[in-house]
Amino acid sequence: MLWQEVEAEINRIANRFYEDQLPDGSWGYPFETGISSDCYLIILLRMLEINDEELIRSLVNRIVKKQESNGAWKLFYDEGDGNVSTTVEAYYALLFSGYRKRHEPEMLRAKQFILSKGGIQEAHTFTKIMLAITGQYEWPAYFSIPVEVMLLPLSFPVNFFDLSVFGRVNFAPILILADYKYSIKSEQSPDLSDLFIGQNRAFFGDFGLNDDQNLEWHSVLNLIKHGIQSIVDPDQSHEAALKRTEEYMLKRIEPDGTFECFYSATFLMIFALLARGYAKTDPIIRRAVQGLKSMICQIGGNLHAQYTTANVWNTTLISYALQEAGLSPSTKVIQKANQYILSRQQNKYGDWAVHNPHAKPGGWGFSDMNTINPDVDDSTAALRAIRRLAPENAIYRRAWERGMDWVLSMQNSDGGWPAFERNVDKEFLTLLPIEEGQDILIDPSTPDLTGRTLGFLGDCTYLNRHYPMIKRGIKWLLDSQREDGSWFGRWGICYLYGTWAAVTGMRAVGVPHDHPSIQKAVTWLKKTQNPDGGWGESCRSDIEKRYIPLGVSTRTHTAWALDALIAASGDTTPEIERGIRFLAGGEGQEKWIRQYPKGKGMAGAFYIHYHSYDYIWPLLALVHYKKKFF
């Protein structure tokens, strides 16, 4: 019978969590982001002359295993015939490692793929920056953002803190590197000149001022230049700006040595410090490298350099899911998890305070060593995990109150919630000529963050749709619904993710299930269900900004869609029953389906396979089904 299958699957997932919990109470399931970080670590180690051969060989093996038969590498399974940037990075890293030679058949196929797509010039801007740093690409003659932007005050219409935190931590070192036109090679550096087609080795459309279509961006640049000229002393500004940029990085180094726990930012910071005269053996650089190494995990018998760790995110979600499944907060597994969560609550003022100066620290970050960069999603997930302890335990109650105050303070002026910082939503900044800049340059309200925050408030507090703050959040969601009934998800793939978050959030705060917006979303979810009862969405949805089915069902997508339908339905429906049967059937899927990315960082460039997701979200959907309909 179906209820027996549901019960069995709930128990199977719960037992998996019991087995996988780490001694410190967390869960360290990998945060897998393809091969780029593996490639960059090889390049970094070779440049710094750190000959960790066992590590390099393992990274090489993992990269080679991911190569397609046509010589290319992909970001996700159905990404056409390959990704130019990723293939350039892999080709470069493999040659740099010394364990692959350019005459080998796999390398020749990789080279041919790159050339067939227009050459190395077609790589992503950030790939070109890495290549420029390491002597393979020419810096543009003029970098359109001068380092003096660091000196503009917060009162100026455009300033450095108008960028999102992810944009800032990556652009701060780039400003130094571009200013110096810094380039370094080692004795082992390969020569990639044969990957160019023609003589054009400039960035042009990426960071130059030669794009006639970018008139709006030119006007923003002129505003910045005028501000610098009118506010900053030209005789002292240049070195002062470089120094301030350096200090910006150094002040945000985490206990593990990384720059705010981000791989790319740490990689770029190391080279920026070299440009500023630091030695390769400087303790700050050595600690940064060690921090990157500390994020290495093992996947499929080979090492993977994670972009960051996901321990806090994993642990908050799993603790909550297990408690939803019936585990008491007093059980050992939950006690250990919640003690870990408590230990990771932040008590420092980070950059978020620039736009939210009246709030006190109290949020949680994503990764294990994150102490200054909290986010709304992790904070509400942590609060869900500890809420059953807060009424009776003074320590947890204080943590709850601090966390609640911080989350509520983060609501944007438009009524929605961002990820990291309030009101960092100046859309003209996305005119910066970089691919999919809206994903890294600003941090606006999004349906997924707004829906999940409303869901937390409705599930875990006494706030409902009559409370002014909730009203504003609901209105923002209603205004952002797409014509077909779906919502776009910023941090997951993609329309299924956004629609799940919006529907469950609005239902949690009391929006009726027969509200036209809810029913419109239900209709869309039913239309997108697959014949096998599940759902699946392609990462191409994120790139093309329209729903594109994957063609197969994934457990995570199915769980999101099901959870939304369960929340929106007064009674079980055939669609819900079919979806539950799919989930209750376990993990009998092809490997590529299980490993398909469900998270994203940047459209067309950065996708995430959360190894925890195929357990967490199905468990929650099954539990919610059981509670509502059994």
Side-chain angles (χ1 to χ4, degrees), residues 57-70:
R57 279 195 298 268
S58 185
L59 296 173
V60 165
N61 290 338
R62 182 170 189 275
I63 294 167
V64 170
K65 283 182 179 179
K66 299 287 185 180
Q67 189 177 21
E68 301 291 325
S69 59
N70 67 345

Side-chain angles (χ1 to χ4, degrees), residues 360-413:
K360 294 180 180 179
W364 280 263
F366 182 86
S367 60
D368 187 48
M369 286 292 105
N370 190 327
T371 67
I372 55 175
N373 188 25
D375 67 86
V376 171
D377 224 5
D378 275 277
S379 298
T380 59
L383 290 167
R384 283 181 184 269
I386 67 171
R387 75 179 176 95
R388 291 176 172 90
L389 292 167
E392 301 175 356
N393 185 303
I395 295 174
Y396 281 98
R397 184 165 60 253
R398 286 194 293 272
W400 169 273
E401 291 169 352
R402 289 174 54 218
M404 272 292 297
D405 288 345
W406 188 82
V407 167
L408 294 177
S409 77
M410 288 294 290
Q411 187 175 29
N412 279 336
S413 298

Side-chain angles (χ1 to χ4, degrees), residues 186-439:
S186 76
E187 292 183 1
Q188 293 176 279
S189 293
D191 180 5
L192 300 186
S193 60
D194 57 348
L195 296 183
F196 285 89
I197 294 178
Q199 298 301 311
N200 177 15
R201 300 193 183 190
F203 281 65
F204 286 118
D206 299 327
F207 278 100
L209 292 177
N210 300 315
D211 188 351
D212 294 335
Q213 298 176 345
N214 239 337
L215 296 177
E216 290 180 274
W217 177 246
H218 286 201
S219 67
V220 174
L221 285 178
N222 289 334
L223 177 64
I224 293 172
K225 291 176 188 175
H226 176 73
I228 291 170
Q229 292 168 358
S230 61
I231 296 172
V232 177
D233 181 350
D235 294 330
Q236 301 177 9
S237 63
H238 193 69
E239 180 55 33
L242 289 168
K243 184 65 176 175
R244 180 170 293 185
T245 311
E246 179 185 335
E247 290 173 350
Y248 176 87
M249 297 187 299
L250 296 179
K251 288 179 180 178
R252 289 158 180 79
I253 292 177
E254 291 284 12
D256 64 355
T258 62
F259 184 13
E260 292 217 4
C261 295
F262 292 127
Y263 190 99
S264 60
T266 306
F267 177 93
L268 292 166
M269 177 190 74
I270 289 170
F271 287 102
L273 293 178
L274 293 177
R276 290 288 289 164
Y278 287 66
K280 292 180 179 180
T281 55
D282 188 279
I284 294 174
I285 290 177
R286 290 297 190 185
R287 281 186 60 236
V289 173
Q290 193 55 44
L292 295 179
K293 285 185 176 183
S294 73
M295 298 194 293
I296 290 171
C297 67
Q298 190 170 91
I299 301 174
N302 289 114
L303 299 179
H304 170 51
Q306 296 179 100
Y307 186 84
T308 189
T309 60
N311 292 49
V312 175
W313 181 237
N314 288 332
T315 307
T316 56
L317 293 174
I318 292 169
S319 175
Y320 164 66
L322 288 174
Q323 291 177 73
E324 282 288 281
L327 245 63
S328 167
S330 63
T331 58
K332 186 176 180 181
V333 66
I334 300 300
Q335 280 189 339
K336 288 174 62 180
N338 285 353
Q339 286 166 6
Y340 172 84
I341 293 168
L342 198 65
S343 73
R344 293 307 188 268
Q345 188 174 29
Q346 298 186 12
N347 55 25
K348 298 177 183 177
Y349 285 92
D351 285 358
W352 56 267
V354 170
H355 297 282
N356 191 9
H358 303 299
K360 294 180 180 179
W364 280 263
F366 182 86
S367 60
D368 187 48
M369 286 292 105
N370 190 327
T371 67
I372 55 175
N373 188 25
D375 67 86
V376 171
D377 224 5
D378 275 277
S379 298
T380 59
L383 290 167
R384 283 181 184 269
I386 67 171
R387 75 179 176 95
R388 291 176 172 90
L389 292 167
E392 301 175 356
N393 185 303
I395 295 174
Y396 281 98
R397 184 165 60 253
R398 286 194 293 272
W400 169 273
E401 291 169 352
R402 289 174 54 218
M404 272 292 297
D405 288 345
W406 188 82
V407 167
L408 294 177
S409 77
M410 288 294 290
Q411 187 175 29
N412 279 336
S413 298
D414 62 12
W417 269 268
F420 297 99
E421 296 173 315
R422 287 190 73 240
N423 295 331
V424 181
D425 53 7
K426 293 180 178 177
E427 289 195 9
F428 64 79
L429 289 172
T430 65
L431 296 170
L432 175 67
I434 182 172
E435 304 90 338
E436 299 296 340
Q438 70 274 8
D439 282 344

